């Protein structure tokens, strides 16, 4: 579904595999993308020591929007006289703006639930629970009359078992932690975000819509930041490293690397590489923040990673 999302966002870029030999360079680019996203969970966690969650998401999203501007200029450069003289209809512009606003609203909700969830849980748990959107998307698709692979149902069962081991403390029944619950809501919202992108992205340029959604997310996150958090320059400067990393690297650079890296890649291989984001978040939390997982929690991560892999296996009927 990472591949599916990028294909929808690619603005017409051809990323379906054209030959059997997968370029090593592209695989390394996707691995770098997953690494950037995995480490971003650490940046989100560290930032909460200095500034509020709304402030962090507002600034990082605005920075991400600015970072995508040169990418838009590069990709939108006309390659022929025919493309240069092709008019932009007001209808397309309206759809682009509408899509960017809708995606930005949902992204704002999802990113803020995730941000505050990380405050009460480890970055490793947050990474794996967030990755559940890969499984939630096809499940929601059932209600939209989209057929679902049998692998999805196995993946759902595995992910539920993994969530139980990862999130629930033995002896406390089904009292899921506050942080895990917030991140789980975030995963559901990210699933809706993908479905909204699925509706709008075939009609517009994906990078432009992403730039707009980051801008909308930044503005909407800024409103509660001003009302409830009273951001100050000293706190923002103290958190400048995680803010810049999340804004420039996670939003701008990683998104661009994903588009470039998936060009000519087998979609299943690309999806599996990008799924390593969840594993890298665990390693990053351990190496950088010293956050360890118990054997029970590690086994839960293994089950959830297996569910993620199953959810991305190709179906027998491509039309479904």
């Amino acid at each position: 579904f990472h591949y599916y999302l990028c294909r929808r966002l690619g603005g017409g870029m051809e990323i379906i595999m054209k030959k059997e030999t997968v370029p090593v360079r592209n695989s390394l680019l996707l691995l770098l993308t997953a690494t950037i996203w995995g480490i971003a969970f650490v940046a989100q966690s560290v930032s909460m020591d200095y500034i509020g969650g709304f402030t962090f998401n507002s600034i990082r999203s605005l920075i991400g929007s600015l970072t995508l501007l040169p990418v838009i200029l590069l990709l939108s450069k006309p390659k022929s006289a025919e493309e240069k003289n092709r008019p932009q209809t007001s209808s397309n512009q309206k759809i682009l703006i509408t899509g960017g606003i809708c995606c930005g609203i949902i992204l704002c909700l999802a990113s803020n639930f995730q941000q505050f969830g990380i405050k009460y849980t480890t970055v490793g748990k947050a990474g794996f629970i967030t990755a559940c959107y890969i499984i939630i998307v096809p499940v929601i698709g059932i209600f939209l009359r989209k057929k679902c692979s049998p692998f999805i149902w196995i993946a759902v069962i595995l992910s539920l078992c993994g969530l139980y081991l990862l999130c629930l403390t033995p002896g406390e029944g089904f009292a899921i932690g506050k942080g895990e619950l917030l991140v789980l809501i975030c995963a559901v919202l990210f699933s809706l975000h993908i479905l909204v992108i699925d509706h709008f992205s075939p009609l517009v340029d994906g990078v432009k819509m992403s730039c707009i959604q980051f801008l909308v997310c930044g503005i909407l996150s800024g409103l509660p930041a001003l009302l409830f958090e009273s951001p100050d320059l000293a706190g923002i400067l103290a958190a400048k490293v995680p803010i810049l990393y999340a804004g420039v690297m996670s939003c701008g650079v990683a998104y661009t690397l994903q588009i470039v890296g998936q060009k000519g890649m087998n979609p299943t291989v690309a999806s599996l590489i990008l799924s390593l984001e969840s594993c890298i978040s665990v390693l990053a939390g351990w190496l950088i923040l010293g956050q360890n997982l118990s054997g029970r929690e590690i086994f839960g991560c293994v089950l959830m990673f297996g569910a993620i892999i199953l959810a991305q296996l190709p179906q027998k009927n491509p039309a479904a």
Side-chain angles (χ1 to χ4, degrees):
F1 284 95
H2 279 293
Y3 159 76
Y4 178 69
L5 172 59
C6 188
R7 189 168 106 181
R8 292 296 191 179
L9 284 174
M13 295 179 63
E14 183 65 32
I15 57 177
I16 298 177
M17 188 176 180
K18 295 181 180 180
K19 54 184 179 180
E20 293 298 326
T21 303
V22 177
V24 176
R25 181 182 69 89
N26 288 34
S27 299
L28 293 177
L29 288 177
L30 292 179
L31 180 59
L32 178 59
T33 301
T35 302
I36 292 173
W37 282 339
I39 297 176
F41 284 95
V42 174
Q44 291 176 251
S45 179
V46 172
S47 70
M48 297 293 283
D49 295 334
Y50 306 100
I51 57 177
F54 291 119
T55 302
F56 174 79
N57 276 325
S58 176
I59 298 176
R60 74 173 285 197
S61 297
L62 293 175
I63 292 176
S65 181
L66 292 175
T67 304
L68 284 178
L69 289 178
V71 179
I72 292 174
L73 294 176
L74 179 63
L75 296 179
S76 300
K77 187 177 180 180
K79 297 180 181 180
S80 64
E82 180 182 354
E83 292 180 351
K84 189 174 182 180
N85 296 327
R86 186 179 299 163
Q88 292 290 333
T89 64
S90 59
S91 177
N92 289 341
Q93 294 295 330
K94 184 178 180 180
I95 295 174
L96 174 64
I97 295 174
T98 303
I101 292 175
C102 292
C103 291
I105 292 173
I106 300 178
L107 179 64
C108 173
L109 294 172
S111 59
N112 281 297
F113 269 103
Q114 183 188 66
Q115 184 65 26
F116 286 98
I118 291 176
K119 183 178 181 180
Y120 301 103
T121 188
T122 65
V123 297
K125 289 184 179 181
F128 270 97
I129 297 173
T130 300
C132 281
Y133 71 80
I134 297 175
I135 301 165
I136 297 173
V137 167
V139 173
I140 295 178
I142 295 174
F143 298 97
L144 301 177
R145 298 181 180 179
K146 295 183 179 181
K147 292 185 178 180
C148 196
S149 166
F151 292 118
I152 296 298
W153 297 112
I154 302 176
V156 169
I157 295 174
L158 283 178
S159 64
L160 290 176
C161 294
L163 280 173
Y164 174 80
L165 295 174
L166 190 62
C167 303
L168 300 179
T169 304
E172 295 185 1
F174 289 92
I176 187 171
K178 181 179 179 180
E180 290 82 2
L181 179 60
L182 292 174
V183 179
L184 187 58
I185 295 174
C186 151
V188 175
L189 288 169
F190 270 129
S191 302
L192 297 176
H193 181 250
I194 291 176
L195 294 174
V196 172
I197 287 175
D198 175 51
H199 175 75
F200 285 103
S201 58
L203 308 173
V204 298
D205 182 276
V207 182
K208 290 181 180 178
M209 189 171 73
S210 183
C211 182
I212 294 174
Q213 76 165 353
F214 283 135
L215 177 62
V216 172
C217 179
I219 294 174
L220 293 180
S221 296
L223 297 177
L226 295 174
L227 292 174
F228 305 116
E229 295 178 348
S230 301
D232 61 280
L233 183 60
I236 294 174
L237 292 177
K240 61 181 179 296
V241 174
I243 288 176
L244 289 174
Y245 181 88
V248 176
M249 299 298 293
S250 181
C251 294
V253 174
Y255 174 80
T256 306
L257 288 177
Q258 183 187 16
I259 293 176
V260 176
Q262 287 194 215
K263 189 175 183 179
M265 283 284 290
N266 181 300
T268 302
V269 175
S271 298
L272 294 179
I273 294 175
L274 289 171
S275 296
L276 292 174
E277 169 195 2
S278 56
C279 297
I280 293 171
S281 69
V282 175
L283 293 175
W286 172 54
L287 293 174
I288 300 176
L289 300 179
Q291 296 178 344
N292 297 319
L293 295 177
S294 65
R296 171 192 173 94
E297 292 170 337
I298 291 175
F299 184 57
C301 291
V302 172
L303 290 179
M304 292 186 68
F305 186 63
I308 292 170
I309 293 176
L310 281 175
Q312 297 174 94
L313 291 179
Q315 302 180 34
K316 291 184 179 180
N317 182 9

